[in-house]
Amino acid sequence: MNGFGPLLREWRARRRRSQLDLALEAEVSQRHLSYVESGRARPSREMVLRLAEHLAVPLRARNALLVAAGHAPEYAERAIDDPALRPAMEAVRLILDGHDPYPALAVDRHWTLVAANRVALRLMDGVAPALAAPPVNVLRLSLHPDGLAPRIVNLRAWKTHILDRLRRDADASGDPALLALIEELARYPAGPDPPPGVAERERALIATPLRLRVPGGELALIGTMTVFGTATDVLLSELSLETFFPADGETAAALRAMAAV
């Protein structure tokens, strides 16, 4: 129980919420919340879960809050091959395969590759074997000089986009592994500055595209992310599906041709 107060204050600070704001929203007295944070009062299981809900704490961290308060974890953390997760993983596979001929992949909270469709795997061909050996971190694979980086036309813009997104994820989750990944990726070369006018045209687009050199031309892809919105399993709640769409007609035609081979 002694560790619950500091953990709660950390999450409250991360969400930029005052003690009064959280108390009002969670319908508890500020005095009692102060006692809980200082260790003078032990929060009930229901209060821990209510506070975590209002702070949008990830399921993994909710379990940690419960344990710190002297309660058993609430959310199961199953292995990826657990039979209970089979329906969800079959749904993932259907989404990935159904996205063909466009690339799609599933990653965990640290951007480790869980599954990918055949087009995505083909785009990863030719990277250094060490980067393609499981466990594959798709961000490392994309930005590493021995990975996809030499093929990314707008590497500087894409790296900025990736690091900005990772920083938001790290700020929201407090995951130290993401902070370490940010430090690693930031050290990788970003490529030359874009030619005059290119950066301005990219910023005017609706989304930062991934511009990838392939035999015979260049692909321009924009990405979307899908998550399981009602997951009650820790692993499932941390799974993201990254699906890419063609940003122009030439890319659509090239991907259809690639998938037909």
Side-chain angles (χ1 to χ4, degrees):
M1 187 180 74
N2 291 337
F4 177 79
L7 272 179
L8 181 62
R9 282 196 300 273
E10 182 181 323
W11 279 105
R12 189 166 54 75
R14 186 171 289 119
R15 298 295 186 255
R16 298 173 176 84
R17 305 290 299 282
S18 71
Q19 199 175 75
L20 178 59
D21 287 340
L22 179 58
L24 288 172
E25 190 168 314
E27 298 181 342
V28 300
S29 73
Q30 183 183 2
R31 181 179 183 182
H32 185 55
L33 184 57
S34 175
Y35 281 7
V36 166
E37 286 196 355
S38 66
R40 296 171 65 187
R42 179 181 184 224
S44 67
R45 182 182 188 83
E46 291 72 22
M47 175 176 282
V48 173
L49 292 172
R50 192 187 324 155
L51 294 173
E53 177 69 23
H54 286 289
L55 290 173
V57 176
L59 300 193
R60 181 182 299 275
R62 294 187 193 194
N63 277 346
L65 283 169
L66 284 165
V67 171
H71 304 294
E74 174 76 6
Y75 305 99
E77 184 180 352
R78 299 175 176 88
I80 195 73
D81 57 354
D82 190 296
L85 289 183
R86 186 175 297 125
M89 297 313 298
E90 288 176 353
V92 168
R93 191 74 258 173
L94 283 171
I95 293 172
L96 298 184
D97 291 343
H99 198 63
D100 186 84
Y102 307 143
L105 46 87
V107 296
D108 68 12
R109 75 189 195 281
H110 294 147
W111 291 85
T112 303
L113 183 66
V114 174
N117 67 5
R118 62 193 183 107
V119 179
L121 292 175
R122 287 193 62 182
L123 293 178
M124 298 177 195
D125 283 346
V127 302
L131 294 173
V136 176
N137 184 283
V138 298
L139 298 187
R140 180 180 296 114
L141 183 144
S142 69
L143 296 182
H144 195 284
D146 295 328
L148 292 178
R151 305 183 214 167
I152 298 178
V153 177
N154 59 336
L155 179 58
R156 184 173 293 274
W158 186 250
K159 179 181 176 181
T160 298
H161 162 70
I162 291 298
L163 290 177
D164 286 347
R165 179 171 175 179
L166 263 183
R167 290 186 183 104
R168 290 194 300 271
D169 289 348
D171 184 59
S173 67
D175 192 327
L178 291 182
L179 295 174
L181 185 59
I182 290 169
E183 291 182 6
E184 176 190 342
L185 299 183
R187 294 193 295 266
Y188 294 161
D193 291 331
V198 171
E200 288 73 15
R201 289 197 297 273
E202 294 268 298
R203 284 195 290 270
L205 299 174
I206 59 172
T208 300
L210 170 61
R211 299 194 180 277
L212 195 64
R213 293 186 189 91
V214 295
E218 175 186 315
L219 302 178
L221 303 164
I222 55 175
T224 66
M225 182 183 73
T226 303
V227 297
F228 285 89
T230 57
T232 57
D233 177 88
V234 172
L235 185 146
L236 194 60
S237 74
E238 296 169 344
L239 201 65
S240 298
L241 277 65
E242 302 288 321
T243 50
F244 291 89
F245 293 85
D248 53 46
E250 294 80 6
T251 296
L255 287 171
R256 287 193 295 269
M258 184 184 300
V261 176

